[in-house]
Amino acid sequence: MLEIEIDGKKLTAPQGSTVMEAAHSIGTYIPHFCYHKKLSIAANCRMCLVEVEKAPKPLPACATPVTDGMKIHTHSDLAKKAQAGVMEFLLINHPLDCPICDQGGECQLQDIAVGYGNGASRYQEEKRAVPGKDMGPLVSAEEMSRCIHCTRCVRFTEEIGGFQEIGMAHRGEFSEILPFLGKTVNSEISGNVIDLCPVGALTSKPYRYSTRAWELSRRKSVSPHDGLGANLIVQVKHNEVMRVLPLENEEINECWLADRDRFSYQGLNSDARLKTPKIKFDGRWHDTDWETALAYVVKGLNGVSADHGKDAIGFLTSPHSTTEELYLAQKLARAFGINNIDYRSARSDFRADAAKQGAEWLGSSIVELAAAKSVLVIGSSLRSEQPLLASRIRQASKKGMALNIIHVADDELLMNVHAKLIASPLALVNAVAQVLKAVVAIKGGDSTLDLAQVDVSAQAQAIADSLCAGETARIVLGAVAQHHPAYSELLALTQEIARISGAGFGVLSEAANSVGAELVGAWAQGGMSAGEMIASPRKAYVLLNTEPEFDGYNSAASVAAMKQAATVIALTAYQSEGLLDYADVLLPIAPFSETAGSFINMEGRLQAFNGVTKPQGEARPAWKVLRVLGNMLSLDGFGFNSAEEVRSELLAKGDIAQRLNNSLSSIAANTAAKAGVVRVGEVPVYSTDAICRHAPALQATALAAAPVARIAADVFAAAGLAEGELALVKQGGATLRVPAHLDASLPAGVVRLAVARAETAMLGGMFDTIEIERG
C-alpha cells in the first residue's frame, strides 16, 4: 500500500491505482466526463486535471497512477483554473440548447459547467454543426452537435458489448461519433450508451421528448424477463411508466441493463392491454364485471370437475409470474383436487422429475460463476438468453477464464472461447457424453452411465482438460438444453461430469422466476406435466400469464389442445389474437409493474418489489384474483390481505437455500448419436414474454426481424436451394414458406427457425424433425 495525501487528507492506496480511484475511496469528487469505472481509461476530456506537488503542470486524475508520498490538490487555484479552461474549450462548439435538450435536468455537462466552469463564454464565432446519425429504433443520435467526444459509447460497444458498433471518425474539429456506414447499433445491450453519454447526444428514442426528468417519480423494481433478476429504477408520470434505468447492484447486473429490460416498458402501456373482464358466448366477446366473470369461472371448473373429474383440468402457468402468484396458483389447484399444474410449457422432456432432489438453480452465485477459472456452457444461445450474464462472462474471459461451449450452432459470442463442440440436436447428448468419457479417463474411476458407444473428439478432450485443470470449474445448462427432448439425459451427464471432475453445475434459469416456480411446487408433482397436458388434451385449462401459441414447446399442438377444451380460462394482462380465439373468459391481471410480489433469480436470491403504478382499468393483481377464486370455490387457506402475507406463508415452508439442489437420484442416458434433419427452434431475444412481444421499439429492431430459415450446408444443397429464395418448410402436418439462407455456423442436418413468433406458430416442436424443399 502507498501513502498519499489528497487535499490534506492522508490515506493509503494500492499499488497501481489512479488518483481518481484514490479520491473516490475517500469521497472526494473530481469532475470528469470520459472516465467510467467499468471502461478503459481514455484521458481525452481532461476535465479531471488536478495539481500534484512537484509536477510541472496539472495532471489528469483518471490516468495518473499514485506514487508513495504523492500530495494532490483537487481544488487548488491551479486545479480550478485548469478545469475552468477545459470546460471553456468543451463548450466552444456545444450548442447550449439546454431549454429544449432531452438531457436537461440530468446532464453531467450542465452540472459540471455550473460547478467548475466560468460564468460566461468568450467565444463569439460560429459553432460547428454535426448531422444526426441513425443508430436504430432504440438509441437516438439526432443531436450529435452536442457530443464532446468522451468516447464512452465507443469503448462500451467494444469492451462491454464485445463488438465495436460505434467509432470516432476524422480528427480535430472534424471528429464525429458515428456507427459504421449504413449500419445501425444492434447489440442486445446497446441502450447502456444512453446512460453513459454525459451530454444529450445519445438519448432514448422511445422516451425522447415525452417528459422532463424532474416530472418523474422514481421507484425500485426487478426485471421480469431473464433469470438474472436485474435491478431497475422505474420512472413514472401520471400513473404511466415512462422510462426504465438500471439500479446498480454489483452482485447481479452491475450498472448495466439489457435492452429487453430497458425498453420493454412500452409493452406495459400497449393498446392490447386487457382492462375489463371478458366472457365469450354465442361466439362473441362481451365485457362484464368481475363478479360475473369469476362466477363463470367457478361454474366452469365445477362443471368440468363434476362431468369429467378433477384430472380433466390442467393449469399452465408462466415462470414470468411472481412467486406469490405461482404459489397461490398451485395451492388453488391442489386444494381443488388438481395436480395437473406446470410452468414448463416450453419443455418436452420431464423424465427427470421423479429423480429430482430439489429445485433447479445456477448452483452458485452469479459472482462465483464469473470468477471460475473454467466454465462449460451447454445448449445456450448465451447472448440472447442471458445478455447481461454474457457480458459478465465476456469480461471474465478477458481476465483468463477458459470458456468452453457445447451447442447446436456456432454462435458469435464476441468473446474468447477456449474450446467448442458444435453438434446437431440429435447428437447433443453424445457430445456431452464425449466430455464425460474424457473426464473419466483423466480423473480415473467409473461412470454410472454407459459410454461404450462414445468416441471422444479432439474438441471434447480440450473441454475435459480445461474442466479438470481449472482451480474452480462450473458447468451450466442453457435454455436450448432445457427445451431439448433429451434434457433429462443432458442433466444426468452434466451431473456425472461435475461429480468426477469436481466442478459445480447448474441451470441458467430462462425466466425471471423459474427458480421461484420450482420452489413453490408449480410443476408436475403427482400430476401431468405441461407436455402431457398438451399431448393428452384436458377438458379445461387455466392459463396464468401464458400464451400457449408462443410459450409452448409445440405451438400448433398447444393451440389444438386449447381449441378442443370445453373451457379455457385465461388470467392475462393482454388480449392476444390466440386467447381471443380459443379462450372462453379473460380475466385482466396486472403485470409486474402494477403489483407487489417477488422473483427468485437463478442464484436463488429472493427479490421483493412493489407496484410502481396502479393497475390499468379493471385489472387486478393475479394473487388477488386467485385468492378470491379460492374463497368462491370454498377452499381453506385463502384469507390473504397482501402479497406479503402470501410470501410469509410460502417462506415458512422452509429455507430457500436448503431447497436448491440440481442433483438427480439416478437416471439412464442413451448416448448414441442419431442422424436426420432437425429443427433448432429458439425463442428470439424479444419474444420471451408478453411484455416484450408488445413493446414496439423492441419489435422494430434487427433482432426481432421476421423469421428466416437458416440452413446447414448439406440440407441446403440437398434441397437445391439458392440464397434468399423461398423455401417450403414442412413440420407437424403444416407448411410454411420462408426465405432460405445458408448458415455455415450450423452442423449437418440442422434448420434454424425461430419459435414464439406468429409467423411460425403453425409448425411443430422446437427440436423435432423438419423437411425443407424449394418453395
Side-chain angles (χ1 to χ4, degrees):
M1 300 292 284
L2 305 176
E3 293 187 0
I4 63 172
E5 184 180 298
I6 298 180
D7 294 336
K9 297 178 183 178
K10 292 185 178 181
L11 67 148
T12 58
Q15 183 79 39
S17 61
T18 64
V19 171
M20 181 74 78
E21 291 166 342
H24 281 182
S25 71
I26 60 170
T28 298
Y29 177 74
I30 300 175
H32 59 274
F33 293 113
C34 67
Y35 171 80
H36 191 277
K37 63 182 179 180
K38 295 290 185 181
L39 303 176
S40 63
I41 294 170
N44 54 7
C45 78
R46 317 308 280 185
M47 192 63 222
C48 64
L49 291 175
V50 295
E51 180 183 359
V52 177
E53 289 189 8
K54 298 182 181 178
K57 60 182 180 181
L59 300 177
C62 68
T64 303
V66 296
T67 58
D68 200 32
M70 178 182 279
K71 292 185 178 182
I72 303 141
H73 303 280
T74 66
H75 294 89
S76 66
D77 291 340
L78 180 63
K80 288 181 179 179
K81 183 178 180 181
Q83 292 162 2
V86 168
M87 178 56 67
E88 186 173 22
F89 276 113
L90 287 175
L91 293 176
I92 278 178
N93 279 311
H94 193 78
L96 301 177
D97 53 5
C98 297
I100 65 165
C101 178
D102 210 45
Q103 197 86 343
E106 50 188 6
C107 175
Q108 195 175 348
L109 181 70
Q110 192 178 59
D111 294 341
I112 293 178
V114 171
Y116 297 88
N118 294 320
S121 174
R122 294 176 290 174
Y123 186 79
Q124 301 298 322
E125 290 77 6
E126 291 184 2
K127 295 177 180 285
R128 74 169 190 163
V130 179
K133 310 294 187 294
D134 179 16
M135 291 193 181
L138 304 180
V139 180
S140 173
E142 293 298 318
E143 308 292 345
M144 292 308 292
S145 297
R146 299 170 183 162
C147 178
I148 61 170
H149 307 139
C150 70
T151 69
R152 280 183 178 181
C153 56
V154 176
R155 285 174 284 149
F156 173 83
T157 59
E158 181 176 10
E159 298 167 15
I160 309 299
F163 179 67
Q164 189 177 359
E165 294 183 281
I166 302 173
M168 187 162 73
H170 314 305
R171 301 183 68 183
E173 64 176 319
F174 302 105
S175 297
E176 289 186 46
I177 299 291
L178 70 168
F180 289 110
L181 298 177
K183 302 285 185 179
T184 55
V185 178
N186 298 321
S187 169
E188 64 280 0
I189 55 175
S190 66
N192 291 290
V193 300
I194 298 167
D195 300 333
L196 288 171
C197 184
V199 296
L202 300 179
T203 55
S204 169
K205 189 168 284 188
Y207 168 78
R208 193 168 185 245
Y209 294 145
S210 60
T211 188
R212 288 296 195 174
W214 53 84
E215 298 175 316
L216 300 170
S217 59
R218 293 159 174 78
R219 292 151 194 177
K220 298 178 182 179
S221 192
V222 180
S223 169
H225 306 303
D226 60 53
L228 192 78
N231 290 194
L232 314 176
I233 295 175
V234 181
Q235 300 188 334
V236 177
K237 178 184 178 183
H238 297 158
N239 202 48
E240 181 177 341
V241 176
M242 305 298 295
R243 185 167 61 166
V244 172
L245 299 176
L247 175 61
E248 185 171 348
N249 187 331
E250 281 296 317
E251 295 181 335
I252 299 178
N253 57 298
E254 302 175 273
C255 57
W256 313 121
L257 274 189
D259 289 352
R260 181 166 58 193
D261 304 323
R262 183 184 299 271
F263 297 106
S264 63
Y265 73 88
Q266 286 189 303
L268 302 172
N269 308 317
S270 169
D271 292 338
R273 281 290 303 273
L274 179 66
K275 298 179 181 180
T276 306
K278 291 179 179 288
I279 294 176
K280 182 192 289 183
F281 59 87
D282 295 333
R284 297 177 58 191
W285 283 100
H286 302 268
D287 291 346
T288 187
D289 56 68
W290 271 104
E291 184 177 359
T292 303
L294 292 173
Y296 183 94
V297 171
V298 170
K299 181 180 179 181
L301 291 176
N302 283 327
V304 172
S305 174
D307 295 341
H308 305 282
K310 307 285 189 184
D311 193 51
I313 304 173
F315 276 61
L316 294 174
T317 63
S318 168
H320 298 281
S321 299
T322 69
T323 315
E324 295 75 13
E325 293 165 358
L326 290 164
Y327 176 74
L328 284 187
Q330 66 83 32
K331 181 174 182 176
L332 173 69
R334 293 192 166 97
F336 191 64
I338 302 166
N339 286 317
N340 304 329
I341 179 169
D342 209 343
Y343 76 94
R344 303 167 297 175
S345 297
R347 292 197 191 175
S348 56
D349 181 11
F350 305 90
R351 290 171 293 155
D353 283 2
K356 289 171 68 169
Q357 302 295 296
E360 294 177 358
W361 70 301
L362 182 60
S364 70
S365 71
I366 294 165
V367 172
E368 288 170 341
L369 175 65
K373 297 298 182 183
S374 177
V375 171
L376 170 58
V377 180
I378 300 173
S380 175
S381 298
L382 201 55
R383 288 175 56 202
S384 62
E385 292 174 19
Q386 308 287 347
L388 290 180
L389 186 62
S391 174
R392 192 184 278 263
I393 292 176
R394 182 177 298 117
Q395 305 313 308
S397 69
K398 292 180 182 178
K399 298 174 182 177
M401 172 194 283
L403 176 64
N404 305 282
I405 301 292
I406 299 178
H407 194 33
V408 295
D410 190 6
D411 290 335
E412 179 51 74
L413 296 178
L414 304 177
M415 65 182 82
N416 301 322
V417 177
H418 173 264
K420 56 188 172 185
L421 179 53
I422 308 303
S424 160
L426 296 175
L428 188 61
V429 171
N430 179 266
V432 179
Q434 291 180 40
V435 176
L436 173 57
K437 191 168 185 176
V439 167
V440 170
I442 295 170
K443 290 290 189 178
D446 295 316
S447 170
T448 58
L449 301 175
D450 182 11
L451 303 174
Q453 302 180 43
V454 177
D455 296 320
V456 179
S457 64
Q459 297 94 328
Q461 186 65 54
I463 294 172
D465 291 340
S466 172
L467 291 175
C468 294
E471 299 173 22
T472 54
R474 300 204 175 273
I475 310 164
V476 291
L477 296 168
V480 170
Q482 293 167 55
H483 299 164
H484 195 280
Y487 175 53
S488 300
E489 286 148 313
L490 293 172
L491 200 56
L493 287 163
T494 304
Q495 175 178 287
E496 277 290 271
I497 296 172
R499 180 182 66 84
I500 297 171
S501 68
F505 82 104
V507 174
L508 297 176
S509 306
E510 62 173 317
N513 213 16
S514 299
V515 176
E518 288 270 322
L519 287 168
V520 303
W523 55 279
Q525 295 172 297
M528 301 177 78
S529 66
E532 291 170 325
M533 283 186 264
I534 298 302
S536 179
R538 304 293 88 193
K539 289 295 182 181
Y541 290 97
V542 178
L543 308 178
L544 173 60
N545 198 26
T546 187
E547 298 171 353
E549 67 271 26
F550 297 128
D551 298 327
Y553 175 82
N554 187 322
S555 54
S558 298
V559 171
M562 297 300 118
K563 287 186 175 181
Q564 64 76 47
T567 183
V568 176
I569 300 156
L571 285 72
T572 177
Y574 299 92
Q575 46 184 343
S576 67
E577 290 185 15
L579 292 175
L580 290 172
D581 180 28
Y582 53 70
D584 303 291
V585 57
L586 300 180
L587 304 179
I589 60 172
F592 82 105
S593 58
E594 299 168 16
T595 181
S598 64
F599 295 132
I600 302 176
N601 74 350
M602 64 173 67
E603 62 181 359
R605 183 192 299 251
L606 186 146
Q607 300 188 101
F609 54 87
N610 293 313
V612 299
T613 62
K614 296 178 181 178
Q616 294 188 18
E618 294 298 312
R620 295 292 181 268
W623 72 265
K624 288 187 176 182
V625 178
L626 293 166
R627 177 199 63 186
V628 174
L629 279 174
N631 291 325
M632 293 179 69
L633 289 166
S634 301
L635 305 176
D636 293 333
F638 284 84
F640 303 104
N641 294 312
S642 67
E644 288 75 18
E645 288 185 15
V646 181
R647 191 181 314 137
S648 295
E649 180 174 298
L650 70 91
L651 291 177
K653 296 182 178 295
D655 181 62
I656 288 176
Q658 294 178 357
R659 290 181 279 161
L660 300 172
N661 191 339
N662 293 306
S663 300
L664 303 177
S665 55
S666 63
I667 191 167
N670 179 4
T671 58
K674 303 169 187 175
V677 178
V678 65
R679 178 184 185 183
V680 168
E682 295 159 288
V683 179
V685 61
Y686 301 139
S687 297
T688 52
D689 56 83
I691 298 176
C692 286
R693 293 193 286 264
H694 288 91
L698 291 180
Q699 298 308 315
T701 63
L703 294 176
V708 298
R710 303 196 177 278
I711 306 172
D714 63 321
V715 181
F716 198 86
L721 293 166
E723 180 65 23
E725 76 169 313
L726 288 179
L728 183 65
V729 177
K730 297 181 179 180
Q731 190 188 35
T735 59
L736 173 68
R737 285 180 171 81
V738 291
H741 294 280
L742 177 64
D743 191 338
S745 73
L746 296 175
V750 168
V751 176
R752 199 173 196 176
L753 183 59
V755 297
R757 293 293 301 253
E759 299 93 331
T760 60
M762 74 291 294
L763 298 178
M766 294 181 179
F767 297 96
D768 293 349
T769 56
I770 195 169
E771 297 179 41
I772 294 287
E773 300 175 1
R774 293 190 67 184

